[in-house]
């Protein structure tokens, strides 16, 4: 496999055009102001507008600039945590509430795609959590049992079936979840923006929010050339909190995750690799993910942000997994920042009266971000009493930069090990 000079993100190259937005250059007065144009902010804006509230969303860069436009595109049910861990952390009742809300998240995401005609390569063929080694198999057996106990229609595939579905002999099992699927994530973010505009929300891009200030019992969201006065403000900046909302991002450890995409693969290779086009990730200690896009490119990713090293690791890894891939070149390469909360749970915080933040999806934000945005809108519109995720108050993570470095060095060391021995 040769490595061409990788360029930008596949998702930016292949997403349908974005709605034309303008920077915020006026003084607005609305019910709710939203900072950040990712899944959380866009879903909140869409639903608030649908419920008849006036809403202005202000994005520092472009719609989908953060994790929402850079992710793998696995539209999964539930969270990263195993369901029993969720109950242990939140207690049985609150654990069940959050589990149930997120179990139907793919239904909701694909429902919005259908309702608003969002062009995002939506493919609902399920996902495969791919087992590596004895520990991987044990983890999948545990997850399968816990999910089935809660009524999820998941099945644990044995080695021959998993290997046939993935097209690789390196896996001994796979947990198949037919509720889930893949999307083109930037296409989905841009589609949510179109939908929010259609419902009457006001959206602005290229407008970094520099300050959020109390003004009587209301709030003033200020950019360099404009402002939004609002009863309520939602900070939906997740790992990408910049400028005046930087302090929110300090409550999560930012983890870099990089992906590469090949050129479209020939049909004889596509007959072998993921013939059913499921989205996949593995059980390795340092996780890798893989999927196909609609043009038949293999999209392969793993933790770590160092581009050159990442490309050479990925090249070797995909050759090990699929020897049939000898002569394919990487065409795209990009990196995103995941907001890891210390308990791997998303957190909705009421920072002050009328000032909220939702973040910390820990790498599982397509369904959860869409659902949390919808629930915030329902709550503000008086259509529900509380969110499915508990309201919390988070403090800045001590030694956050040291922890980030620990993950980065840990991923690098693990990948070096993967290149010299077979790990987990
Ligand atoms: C590489 C990667 C792979 C992932 N894979 C998956 C996956 O396969 N499945 C899944 O479910 N989840 C996945 N995730 C997680 C998911 O992408 C995120 O949880 C989700 O996108 C978070 O959405 P959000 O709207 O909360 O934040 P973001 O999408 O990060 O949006 C935050 C926005 O806030 C803006 N902003 C920041 N500061 C300001 C300011 N001062 N003024 C105005 N705007 C501001 C940013 O520019 C950004 O656009 C992945 C994440 C990454 C990074």
């Amino acid at each position: 496999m040769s490595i061409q000079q990788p360029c930008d993100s596949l998702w930016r190259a292949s997403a349908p055009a974005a709605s034309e937005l303008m920077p915020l250059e006026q003084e607005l007065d609305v019910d709710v102001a939203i900072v950040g144009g990712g899944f959380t902010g866009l879903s909140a804006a869409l639903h608030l507008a649908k419920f008849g509230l006036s809403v202005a969303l202000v994005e520092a860069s472009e719609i989908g600039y953060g994790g929402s436009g850079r992710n793998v595109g696995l539209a999964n049910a539930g969270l990263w945590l195993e369901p029993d861990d969720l109950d242990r952390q939140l207690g049985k009742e609150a654990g069940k509430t959050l589990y149930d809300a997120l179990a139907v998240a793919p239904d909701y995401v694909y429902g919005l795609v259908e309702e608003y005609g969002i062009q995002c390569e939506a493919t609902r063929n399920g996902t495969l959590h791919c087992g590596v080694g004895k520990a991987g198999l044990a983890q999948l057996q545990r997850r399968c049992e816990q999910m089935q106990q809660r009524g999820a229609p998941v099945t644990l595939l044995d080695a021959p079936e998993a290997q046939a579905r993935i097209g690789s002999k390196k896996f001994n099992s796979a947990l198949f979840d037919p509720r889930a699927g893949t999307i083109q994530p930037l296409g989905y973010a841009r589609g949510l923006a179109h939908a929010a505009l259609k419902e009457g929300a006001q959206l602005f891009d290229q407008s970094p929010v520099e300050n959020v200030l109390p003004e009587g019992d209301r709030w003033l969201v200020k950019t360099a050339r404009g402002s939004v006065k609002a009863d309520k403000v939602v900070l939906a900046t997740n790992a990408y909190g910049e400028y005046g909302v930087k302090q929110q991002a300090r409550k999560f450890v930012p983890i870099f995750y990089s992906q590469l995409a090949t050129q479209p693969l020939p049909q004889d290779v596509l007959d072998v690799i993921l013939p059913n086009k499921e989205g996949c990730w593995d059980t390795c200690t340092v996780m890798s993910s893989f999927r196909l896009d609609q043009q038949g490119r293999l999209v392969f990713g793993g933790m770590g942000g160092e581009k050159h090293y990442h490309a050479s690791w990925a090249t070797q890894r995909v050759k090990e997994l699929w020897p049939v891939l000898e002569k394919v070149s990487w065409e795209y390469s990009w990196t995103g920042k995941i907001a890891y909360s210390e308990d791997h749970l998303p957190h909705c915080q009421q920072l002050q009266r009328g000032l909220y933040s939702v973040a910390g999806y820990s790498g599982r934000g397509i369904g959860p971000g869409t659902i949390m945005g919808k629930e915030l809108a329902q709550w503000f519109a008086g259509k529900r009493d509380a969110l499915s995720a508990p309201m919390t108050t988070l403090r800045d993570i001590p030694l956050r930069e040291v922890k980030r470095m620990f993950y980065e060095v840990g991923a690098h060391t693990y990948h070096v090990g993967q290149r010299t021995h077979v790990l987990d």
Side-chain angles (χ1 to χ4, degrees):
M1 178 174 286
S2 65
I3 307 173
Q4 289 181 349
Q5 201 49 37
C7 54
D8 199 354
S9 141
L10 165 63
W11 306 137
R12 286 196 91 229
S14 62
S19 308
E20 275 193 32
L21 304 179
M22 300 292 287
L24 179 71
E25 289 180 344
Q26 62 265 58
E27 292 176 0
L28 295 177
D29 192 320
V30 294
D31 295 320
V32 183
I34 295 169
V35 184
F39 303 140
T40 308
L42 292 164
S43 172
L46 162 63
H47 289 93
L48 283 162
K50 211 170 166 172
F51 299 145
L53 278 82
S54 57
V55 53
L57 180 152
V58 187
E59 162 58 43
S61 178
E62 58 181 29
I63 293 298
Y65 171 82
S68 299
R70 300 166 188 258
N71 64 65
V72 183
L74 307 176
N76 276 310
L79 286 168
W80 181 255
L81 278 178
E82 292 180 18
D84 283 1
D85 282 341
L86 193 59
D87 288 354
R88 266 192 287 278
Q89 300 229 29
L90 294 180
K92 277 220 150 122
E93 199 179 326
K96 182 175 177 345
T97 302
L98 186 54
Y99 180 88
D100 289 347
L102 299 182
V104 295
D107 286 342
Y108 201 75
V109 168
Y110 287 98
L112 286 177
V113 167
E114 173 97 31
E115 182 179 350
Y116 291 100
I118 296 176
Q119 290 169 36
C120 63
E121 303 185 11
T123 307
R124 203 169 180 188
N125 293 354
T127 50
L128 295 169
H129 190 175
C130 306
V132 181
K134 273 192 195 154
L137 175 60
Q139 186 198 141
L140 294 186
Q141 284 167 333
R142 208 170 53 232
R143 279 182 183 268
C144 185
E145 198 180 308
Q146 293 176 21
M147 289 164 89
Q148 284 178 344
Q149 275 169 3
R150 289 163 175 83
V154 293
T155 43
L156 186 60
L157 311 183
D158 62 10
E161 201 176 344
Q163 291 173 5
R165 294 274 278 270
I166 303 162
S168 169
K169 298 268 180 233
K170 298 288 179 187
F171 301 95
N172 61 15
S173 51
L175 185 59
F176 175 59
D177 189 339
R179 298 169 296 177
T182 56
I183 56 168
Q184 206 281 24
L186 185 58
Y188 178 56
R190 288 182 176 177
L192 286 178
H194 284 301
L197 289 168
K198 193 172 155 202
E199 294 292 353
Q202 300 183 73
L203 269 52
F204 301 91
D205 65 1
Q206 308 301 336
S207 306
V209 168
E210 295 179 344
N211 232 326
V212 181
L213 302 166
E215 200 173 83
D217 58 357
R218 304 188 76 211
W219 290 93
L220 191 65
V221 172
K222 292 187 76 160
T223 65
R225 310 242 285 272
S227 66
V228 185
K229 206 180 273 183
D231 296 334
K232 294 187 173 73
V233 176
V234 179
L235 305 178
T237 53
N238 207 38
Y240 282 81
E242 295 295 345
Y243 317 102
V245 293
K246 210 166 192 151
Q247 65 272 25
Q248 282 316 307
R250 295 201 192 112
K251 296 169 180 175
F252 306 98
V253 181
I255 306 285
F256 288 93
Y257 193 94
S258 301
Q259 296 182 82
L260 296 112
T262 63
Q263 291 177 337
L265 301 174
Q267 191 54 51
D268 58 329
V269 176
L270 290 171
D271 290 341
V272 176
I273 300 179
L274 300 173
N276 296 333
K277 294 194 165 58
E278 298 94 340
C280 302
W281 73 107
D282 67 24
T283 58
C284 290
T285 310
V286 175
M287 188 198 98
S288 303
S289 56
F290 43 94
R291 56 164 292 186
L292 298 168
D293 81 341
Q294 213 160 53
Q295 303 306 314
R297 294 181 176 87
L298 177 68
V299 183
F300 191 82
M303 257 184 204
E306 208 283 287
K307 272 198 171 183
H308 185 74
Y309 174 74
H310 200 266
S312 64
W313 161 75
T315 301
Q316 183 167 339
R317 188 73 182 142
V318 297
K319 277 161 83 175
E320 272 166 24
L321 295 177
W322 299 284
V324 67
L325 271 179
E326 272 307 286
K327 289 193 183 107
V328 185
S329 307
W330 298 119
E331 203 176 358
Y332 298 99
S333 161
W334 68 102
T335 297
K337 251 189 302 179
I338 295 177
Y340 262 94
S341 56
E342 293 209 291
D343 54 11
H344 293 189
L345 286 170
H347 288 268
C348 181
Q349 302 171 74
Q350 178 158 10
L351 303 164
Q352 287 182 47
R353 196 173 150 273
L355 179 63
Y356 304 87
S357 148
V358 192
Y361 300 108
S362 305
R364 203 44 99 76
I366 297 175
T370 306
I371 295 285
M372 288 304 138
K374 176 196 73 165
E375 290 193 355
L376 267 179
Q378 289 173 324
W379 189 36
F380 291 171
K383 292 177 185 294
R384 64 185 300 137
D385 297 331
L387 305 183
S388 303
M391 293 294 281
T392 39
T393 309
L394 294 172
R395 284 175 302 174
D396 288 359
I397 292 188
L399 304 174
R400 179 171 166 267
E401 185 55 19
V402 175
K403 287 176 182 161
R404 186 191 71 71
M405 293 284 290
F406 174 78
Y407 282 115
E408 183 74 24
V409 172
H412 187 87
T413 311
Y414 186 85
H415 288 162
V416 170
Q418 238 173 3
R419 294 176 71 164
T420 42
H421 327 87
V422 178
L423 290 180
D424 345 89

